[in-house]
Structure formats: structure tokens, C-alpha cells
Amino acid sequence: MSTLQLHSAPTSSSSFAPISTSRFFQTSRVSLRNAVRCKAIEAVQLENGRPSASEFVVSGNAIPSYVVAPNARIRDLVHRSDTRLRIFSGTANPALSQEIACYLGLELGKIKIKRFADGEIYVQLQESVRGCDVFLVQPTCPPANENLMELLIMIDACRRASAKNITAVIPYFGYARADRKTQGRESIAAKLVANLITEAGANRVLACDLHSGQSMGYFDIPVDHVYGQPVILDYLASKTICSDDLVVVSPDVGGVARARAFAKKLSDAPLAIVDKRRHGHNVAEVMNLIGDVRGKVAVMVDDMIDTAGTIAKGAALLHQEGAREVYACTTHAVFSPPAIERLSSGLFQEVIITNTIPVAEQNYFPQLTVLSVANLLGETVWRVHDDCSGGIEPYSSLGID
């Protein structure tokens, strides 16, 4: 197993002009030794992807010395208050959970998660949570059904242990794409999953970049919807590109609102839209381009990359229309086959993602940059716990009320 080593190399050789945006989020660059060279921003030396052991015990006893130091303001507030804040991690993304805990200056709660021979999941909290404000960090990324069931059992364990409040922190919300009926006799799985989480005993949900905002309405409990956009914008601001050379591209008509908001933050850059026709799930056919990209640096913005069919065909069209460079920016890297082959084929100057979903070691490639959303989620967790608003700069883009 290769390890992640910190280094402070320049982020890119491209030339971006200063872009006006908040510089709140700290990042660190790491690379894989004895493996393909890539650019990633992660802080915790844990195995990417799901743990291979049949039994997984999460504990915060040993926090790596090179992790980003916890925010001093948050640390002081946590230790000055009642300290009844508890953070537990599922097995889906323990590295992100550890980073969130480090940002808050806390240790991860001790929890035992075991899978029996027949696949059944066993969860036992290893410490008392009676009267505590509990946050369970568990994205429902692939394998989606196992991770979802694990989250439900974790919620049930906390409820039966008399936790005062239970917040399901879901950096990536699976089934979010099944949020409406496009054909007859289809299920709306996003609503079903919302009901399951609510009935399991969650009092609140914290999600990052839902596929569509309407999914918040499927929950009968409060939902804090935060966006990974500030993290990506902050990274792009560290580059220098002439704003006159920049164009933001939506890979489909459904993502126009997201791309428009992104373009506004990038010095109000012009917008282009890729028009596509979809003939089936995970199958896309690009038809034409709305807007001018000739001689421009195109930044494609989407909420997730699954098989990369949409964004790869869009990038090919942009090159065909004369784009000088193409960057892909997305929050959730699902990376279902053959995504890696498409993304590493030379169409993209850089593929910028976040760590809401862990990236398996074999899925790293030279153009990949991974940004951490731990500070964003950690700040939101504290504000939810402390009953604070999200409307104070520089946190006005957190998306919490």
C-alpha cells in the first residue's frame, strides 16, 4: 500500500489572473510514492476507499502530526463550552471524518462496526453519548446500499443510546439523482431514502452539493445544504489566468444555474452550455455548443462525475470548437468505470475534485487534484452545534440558515 507524503509544490504551471474569492480554506498538497504521480489535497494517512478488514474500529487516539492544525477560534470555543459534541465515522470515508474532527480540535468517537459472514452489519458505540449532540459522518457512496444501511444502523444505535440530537453528515448523498419521475412507473428513490433516514431517528441532515435542491424538501427534518464551490474557487484563485481568457461551461442544460453562480464568482466570466441528448442512464450524446470558447480556457462545472461520459464528450466538443485548455471541476468523484480512462485520455488539463468520496489508490492519475472539504464541513458542524447562523463572512457561502 502506497502512502501519502506532504509536499509544497506549486499547484499548476498554468497562468491564471487573480480571481476575487475568499481564501478561507487551507489546503495541502500530497502525492503518491511508488505510484502514478498525481496532485491531491488530503491530510490524513488512512487507506483510501473502504477498509479491507471485516471489523473496523474508529478511534481518534492517534492524530497524525502533519494534519492541518485545528482552527484556533473553533478549538477555543469547543474547549470553553460544554464539550458535549461527538463525531463518529462510518467506514465509507474515515479520512474525511478524521480531518473534520481535527478541524474542531476533537477526537473521533470510538465506534465498532462489524460485518458478519452473511453481510449483516453490526454497530456498537464504544463510549457514552447520553445527552450529547452527535454527528455521524457517512457518505452513501459506492457501495451505496451497504453504506446507506450502515448509516441507518449507526443512527439507530445513537438513538437507543439516548443521544440528545443526531445529525447525519452525508458529504455525498446517494440516490439523489432519482429525485423525480421522468417516465411512468418509476420510483423516487431520493424520497424513500429521506424517509428511511428520518424514521431511523436522525434529527437533522447535513449534505454537500445535492444533485438538485428539491431533495431537501423530501426530508421532514431540517437539512443544512452546503456547497463545495468555495473550496474549488479558492483553489482556482491560487492560479493566475487572465479573466478575459476564461469561460465557464455547463456540461448540460440542467447545470446552467450551478455554472452561472460559479462564473459570477470567477470575475463574472462568460458562460457556455453544452447541449446533449441522453438516450439512457449513464449514456450521453453531445449535440452542440451554445457560446464561444475559441482560444479560451474552459472550466467545466458539474456536481459529480460518474462514468465521465457527459463531461468527456463535452470536453471533446470544446476542443473541437477551439478551446485552448479544458479544466473539469466537480464536487463528487464517483468514478464508475470507465471514468478513469476517459478523464486521463488527455482531454483535460486538470480534473479538480473534492474528497466527499474517497478516491481509491488505483484511480489516481496525473491530471487529478483532490481538494479537502473538511474545513467547510467542520465549520458547519460547529455552527449547527452552537446554533449559529451561516450568514457571517467569510462563511456566507456555507448555505446554512
Side-chain angles (χ1 to χ4, degrees), residues 91-207:
T91 61
N93 199 342
L96 175 60
S97 306
Q98 181 72 82
E99 290 185 55
I100 293 172
C102 288
Y103 175 82
L104 293 167
L106 298 174
E107 294 183 351
L108 280 177
K110 297 178 183 178
I111 184 171
K112 181 179 181 180
I113 301 175
K114 179 178 180 180
R115 279 170 173 76
F116 293 105
D118 62 353
E120 292 182 8
I121 300 171
Y122 172 82
V123 172
Q124 181 189 30
L125 302 180
Q126 305 275 278
E127 60 185 66
S128 174
V129 296
R130 184 178 298 274
C132 293
D133 198 359
V134 176
F135 292 81
L136 305 175
V137 184
Q138 175 79 341
T140 54
C141 51
N145 297 331
E146 280 196 30
N147 287 332
L148 172 60
M149 194 64 196
E150 184 179 303
L151 173 62
L152 298 176
I153 298 175
M154 289 170 65
I155 294 172
D156 183 71
C158 291
R159 180 174 61 88
R160 296 180 187 278
S162 302
K164 182 179 179 181
N165 289 300
I166 304 170
T167 300
V169 181
I170 311 176
Y172 170 72
F173 181 63
Y175 290 103
R177 285 173 285 185
D179 57 2
R180 64 192 185 282
K181 289 183 67 173
T182 58
Q183 304 177 61
R185 300 177 296 281
E186 280 187 333
S187 70
I188 303 180
K191 172 59 176 172
L192 172 62
V193 172
N195 288 343
L196 289 172
I197 292 172
T198 304
E199 290 302 316
N203 303 109
R204 194 178 197 97
V205 167
L206 168 56

Side-chain angles (χ1 to χ4, degrees), residues 373-391:
V373 294
N375 290 6
L376 172 71
L377 294 177
E379 179 68 28
T380 309
V381 165
W382 171 253
R383 286 174 174 267
V384 170
H385 171 69
D386 200 43
D387 297 324
C388 296
S389 170

Side-chain angles (χ1 to χ4, degrees), residues 44-368:
V44 182
Q45 189 173 5
L46 293 176
E47 182 180 356
N48 282 314
R50 295 182 56 78
S52 57
S54 61
E55 182 174 315
F56 178 64
V57 179
V58 180
S59 173
N61 290 333
I63 299 177
S65 59
Y66 55 82
V67 77
V68 176
N71 182 283
R73 176 180 61 88
I74 297 294
R75 180 191 57 212
D76 293 341
L77 288 171
V78 168
H79 291 292
R80 194 170 65 232
S81 65
D82 57 0
T83 68
R84 299 193 70 79
L85 170 62
R86 297 285 188 274
I87 299 177
F88 293 90
S89 174
T91 61
N93 199 342
L96 175 60
S97 306
Q98 181 72 82
E99 290 185 55
I100 293 172
C102 288
Y103 175 82
L104 293 167
L106 298 174
E107 294 183 351
L108 280 177
K110 297 178 183 178
I111 184 171
K112 181 179 181 180
I113 301 175
K114 179 178 180 180
R115 279 170 173 76
F116 293 105
D118 62 353
E120 292 182 8
I121 300 171
Y122 172 82
V123 172
Q124 181 189 30
L125 302 180
Q126 305 275 278
E127 60 185 66
S128 174
V129 296
R130 184 178 298 274
C132 293
D133 198 359
V134 176
F135 292 81
L136 305 175
V137 184
Q138 175 79 341
T140 54
C141 51
N145 297 331
E146 280 196 30
N147 287 332
L148 172 60
M149 194 64 196
E150 184 179 303
L151 173 62
L152 298 176
I153 298 175
M154 289 170 65
I155 294 172
D156 183 71
C158 291
R159 180 174 61 88
R160 296 180 187 278
S162 302
K164 182 179 179 181
N165 289 300
I166 304 170
T167 300
V169 181
I170 311 176
Y172 170 72
F173 181 63
Y175 290 103
R177 285 173 285 185
D179 57 2
R180 64 192 185 282
K181 289 183 67 173
T182 58
Q183 304 177 61
R185 300 177 296 281
E186 280 187 333
S187 70
I188 303 180
K191 172 59 176 172
L192 172 62
V193 172
N195 288 343
L196 289 172
I197 292 172
T198 304
E199 290 302 316
N203 303 109
R204 194 178 197 97
V205 167
L206 168 56
C208 184
D209 267 331
L210 292 170
H211 186 63
S212 61
Q214 70 197 45
S215 298
M216 288 187 287
Y218 295 155
F219 290 90
D220 295 324
I221 54 179
V223 176
D224 296 306
H225 185 205
V226 300
Y227 299 90
Q229 185 183 92
V231 179
I232 297 174
L233 286 167
D234 189 65
Y235 173 73
L236 290 176
S238 67
K239 298 175 174 289
T240 53
I241 184 173
C242 179
S243 58
D244 294 335
D245 292 340
L246 187 67
V247 59
V248 174
V249 182
S250 172
D252 54 33
V253 175
V256 171
R258 182 185 302 107
R260 184 185 294 117
F262 197 89
K264 187 175 182 181
K265 297 288 180 66
L266 286 179
S267 304
D268 204 15
L271 182 68
I273 304 168
V274 175
D275 177 39
K276 73 167 191 257
R277 299 290 185 268
R278 187 179 291 277
H279 299 293
H281 296 298
N282 294 331
V283 179
E285 179 182 351
V286 172
M287 300 299 291
N288 51 39
L289 179 70
I290 304 170
D292 180 26
V293 298
R294 187 166 301 277
K296 303 277 188 178
V297 175
V299 178
M300 299 188 74
V301 181
D302 208 350
D303 64 322
M304 72 172 68
I305 296 178
D306 190 356
T307 61
T310 296
I311 204 163
K313 289 185 178 181
L317 179 62
L318 293 175
H319 283 294
Q320 181 182 331
E321 294 294 326
R324 191 168 79 242
E325 292 178 348
V326 178
Y327 289 76
C329 299
T330 187
T331 304
H332 308 301
V334 181
F335 285 175
S336 302
I340 302 305
E341 290 78 2
R342 289 169 171 170
L343 295 172
S344 59
S345 62
L347 290 171
F348 299 96
Q349 181 77 13
E350 193 171 357
V351 178
I352 304 166
I353 64 172
T354 71
N355 63 343
T356 56
I357 297 175
V359 181
E361 182 179 343
Q362 65 270 19
N363 287 340
Y364 282 98
F365 54 95
Q367 297 87 1
L368 184 66

